[in-house]
Amino acid sequence: MNILRRLEEQASAAICNTLGVTDAYADVRPTSDERFGDYQINGVLPLARQRRENPRGMAQLVAGKLELSDMCEPPEVAGPGFINLRLRNQWLEKRLGEDAVDQRAGVEPAQVAERVVVDYSSPNVAKAMHVGHLRSTIIGNALCRILRFLGHHVIGDNHLGDWGTQFGLLIVGYRRFADERSLALRPLEELERIYQQVVALADKDPSVAEEARGELRKLQAGDRENRGLWEKFVRITLEENEKIYRRLGVEFDEVLGESAYNERLPGVVEKLLRKGVARESQGAVCVFFDDDPELSEYPFIIQKSDGAFLYSTTDIATLEFRSEHFQPHRVLYVVDSRQSLHFRQFFEVARRMGYDMRLEHIGFGTILGPDGRPIRTREGRAVYLEDLLDEAERRAGEIIRDREDELGGETRRVASGVGIGAVIYADLSQNRLSDYRFDWDKMVSFDGNTGPYLQYALVRTRSLFRKLGVENWQPAGTPLQLEHASELALARDLARFSESFHRAGETFFPHLICDSLYRIARRFSQFWHDCPVLTAAGPLRESRLSLCRLTGAALAVGLQSLGIDTLERM
């Protein structure tokens, strides 16, 4: 059950019925201090300020109309007019007893299922994925998983950068500089080397730049040889990137590059001009935002004066395609926050064109090195994603080396699950809008708010049932017995897991799930220390086993929805 949603509904109804308003915002939040209860209703205060009435008196009236006696202790009015709510122990015992039999850990589907396109990862062809692609890939994958678990129909789309002027240069460079041996060993690094070498040459020799423009024109005209080389570059990129995606547990429903929309681009420009959304300016075609003070100085160029199209044109053509083929309610663009201006312009253009789906930019900050600057290698280049994942597995392998006898043939898999899970969790546990420092020692630690700490808590619940010899032990679904303070504390956080999951799915902030999982794991550790399970007797033993099973289910649901491997042993 989503407790927060029920409290918001009841509180809003009580405010409306008591204070005579038609649309009340109850503003229910978890309390910041457990001494004051579990939740707090704050919505009375702004109404009191508007009416210049006594907020405590108004809050008393609202508290008297709340229909929550089955769920909460009598509400308490505190401070200038807050209403504090505390969940009844008996209600928790019944609720969690029912959730314990649920593999979804009490997370119900969304009330309204939507079709959602998630545009994420989006690397460029002929370039190795580097650390700059990590956040889009990890965040986008997590959002796809979270939304699917909530019952939405999700289309994950990898919008490749596979078209443009760089391919003329790359074709020239490939013919001049390609090393077939290097291409077989590290194909994308070799293509990058070729590109950098030919760019440097073209900067010095205008004839090389002109040759590249000619090869590009031939490619765009369908020249068989150039088309064959371009397809080779795309194939190599897809094959190499797929190795990274498999390691990260990432799968796409669509992999459509910019080239897929190339034929639509002239029609996009024509449509924008016909609708009066765009107009010509100094030979170019632009959209102007004269009525928007924040965008008025930034025209959105659709076609350059030389006839060339831009990312803006492709984005509109892509939206046109998605509208026709997927009919989505929402499209999420998981792209770093530095592109916020582009998306504000693009979304306004889409609105003027009549698209009524919700378009949302899921921005994120930068991964920083220990020096607080964007993370780089010692040579100053971006860190390859393959190398970063290799290092994560190596470090995790060193940590679990002393457990090789226990893990047997699973050591390598465990090292991979722990290392890559640590990288994923270190990213997702941050508010995505913030920059964060990449700290190896912290992220692979088994202590604190880390992926390995959560994975180990899950392993501990599973090992308990292995000791019983009943790994598929099923609870009866009867009310629990929550006697110890550590049991009650764990129960409260388990009861709130569903609301955290839904909030993450509604706001697109995966760190909300991470926060909930970490609270559960810490509470479980204290419960494990304070409350014997296997040596408990009768109904208390069954209750504690149910609590362990529900803890394991919540950790498994949460980790899997974040894209993190769930392990049986560590």
Side-chain angles (χ1 to χ4, degrees), residues 282-527:
Q282 299 179 11
V285 178
C286 308
V287 178
F288 294 92
F289 308 97
D290 298 330
D291 56 346
D292 188 328
E294 296 183 358
L295 296 179
S296 59
E297 297 182 11
Y298 305 101
F300 199 54
I301 304 174
I302 303 300
Q303 187 175 25
K304 295 167 67 175
S305 58
D306 63 2
F309 302 110
L310 297 97
Y311 290 125
S312 53
T313 334
T314 303
D315 279 347
I316 297 169
T318 305
L319 182 63
E320 181 181 71
F321 173 87
R322 289 168 175 167
S323 177
E324 294 171 3
H325 289 264
F326 306 135
Q327 295 87 47
H329 298 96
R330 293 176 186 258
V331 183
L332 309 182
Y333 295 84
V334 188
V335 181
D336 83 56
S337 296
R338 291 172 293 184
Q339 299 299 317
S340 59
L341 173 62
H342 168 81
F343 283 106
R344 287 184 58 202
Q345 294 174 305
F346 168 44
F347 295 166
E348 175 59 20
V349 171
R351 186 191 67 78
R352 294 182 184 186
M353 293 181 73
Y355 291 108
D356 60 357
M357 67 193 79
R358 293 189 63 178
L359 307 177
E360 301 183 55
H361 175 207
I362 310 302
F364 52 84
T366 303
I367 302 176
L368 305 176
D371 58 359
R373 298 179 180 180
I375 190 168
R376 292 279 190 271
T377 64
R378 291 180 180 178
E379 294 76 25
R381 66 170 177 79
V383 177
Y384 287 130
L385 200 43
E386 180 182 12
D387 294 338
L388 184 143
L389 298 182
D390 287 345
E391 179 67 8
E393 292 185 1
R394 185 190 69 77
R395 287 176 179 258
E398 288 184 352
I399 292 173
I400 65 173
R401 185 176 297 164
D402 60 346
R403 304 180 191 182
E404 287 185 2
D405 292 340
E406 180 183 345
L407 294 172
E410 295 186 24
T411 303
R412 187 169 182 177
R413 179 181 179 274
V414 172
S416 175
V418 172
I420 293 177
V423 170
I424 294 172
Y425 187 82
D427 191 295
L428 295 179
S429 60
Q430 313 291 325
N431 182 320
R432 60 174 167 78
L433 294 175
S434 302
D435 298 341
Y436 77 93
R437 295 200 182 199
F438 198 88
D439 185 334
W440 280 117
D441 292 336
K442 180 180 178 182
M443 72 174 56
V444 297
S445 172
F446 278 73
D447 295 315
N449 189 11
T450 68
Y453 179 75
L454 299 185
Q455 288 173 311
Y456 184 67
L458 174 57
V459 165
R460 186 177 272 182
T461 68
R462 291 176 169 177
S463 68
L464 174 70
F465 293 104
R466 281 200 301 272
K467 289 179 182 177
L468 280 175
V470 283
E471 295 186 37
N472 295 318
W473 180 84
Q474 295 295 319
T478 54
L480 306 186
Q481 292 184 11
L482 304 176
E483 299 178 353
H484 195 281
S486 295
E487 289 177 296
L488 282 164
L490 174 58
R492 278 177 157 74
D493 277 315
L494 286 169
R496 289 173 53 184
F497 177 62
S498 176
E499 72 190 44
S500 300
F501 205 102
H502 277 269
R503 283 180 63 219
E506 291 160 2
T507 63
F508 314 119
F509 282 100
H511 79 274
L512 297 173
I513 292 177
C514 298
D515 292 347
S516 181
L517 293 177
Y518 181 50
R519 287 195 303 269
I520 289 170
R522 281 192 304 152
R523 299 290 197 189
F524 179 70
S525 179
Q526 191 63 49
F527 160 80

Side-chain angles (χ1 to χ4, degrees), residues 110 112-120 139-158 251-254 326-332 334 505 508:
V112 178
E114 295 183 330
R115 287 185 301 279
V116 185
V117 173
V118 183
D119 181 324
Y120 70 107
I139 294 169
N141 182 50
L143 292 179
C144 287
R145 288 168 175 262
I146 292 166
L147 293 171
R148 285 195 184 102
F149 191 79
L150 290 173
H152 300 292
H153 176 65
V154 179
I155 301 101
D157 190 352
N158 192 359
E251 296 180 358
F252 296 96
D253 302 287
E254 297 285 347
F326 306 135
Q327 295 87 47
H329 298 96
R330 293 176 186 258
V331 183
L332 309 182
V334 188
F508 314 119

Side-chain angles (χ1 to χ4, degrees), residues 115-218:
R115 287 185 301 279
V116 185
V117 173
V118 183
D119 181 324
Y120 70 107
S121 193
S122 306
N124 290 320
V125 162
K127 292 184 179 180
M129 290 179 71
H130 55 76
V131 71
H133 297 106
L134 184 65
R135 298 210 75 184
S136 176
T137 304
I138 288 175
I139 294 169
N141 182 50
L143 292 179
C144 287
R145 288 168 175 262
I146 292 166
L147 293 171
R148 285 195 184 102
F149 191 79
L150 290 173
H152 300 292
H153 176 65
V154 179
I155 301 101
D157 190 352
N158 192 359
H159 185 69
L160 292 174
D162 68 347
W163 201 248
T165 57
Q166 70 270 29
F167 287 100
L169 285 162
L170 190 57
I171 288 169
V172 171
Y174 183 85
R175 289 175 177 149
R176 293 191 181 203
F177 307 123
D179 181 321
E180 293 298 330
R181 185 171 180 275
S182 296
L183 199 65
L185 293 173
R186 301 275 283 194
L188 288 182
E189 289 184 31
E190 173 62 8
L191 290 179
E192 280 194 52
R193 183 194 67 79
I194 292 169
Y195 182 72
Q196 291 166 2
Q197 191 168 347
V198 74
V199 166
L201 184 61
D203 287 342
K204 297 177 181 177
D205 185 348
S207 68
V208 175
E210 181 56 38
E211 181 183 355
R213 286 190 286 271
E215 296 299 340
L216 178 64
R217 286 192 292 270
K218 288 167 63 178

Side-chain angles (χ1 to χ4, degrees), residues 13-21 51 58 60-66:
I15 292 173
C16 291
N17 294 336
T18 304
L19 304 180
V21 295
R51 298 182 177 191
M58 292 173 66
Q60 292 285 3
L61 291 173
V62 172
K65 288 292 185 179
L66 290 170

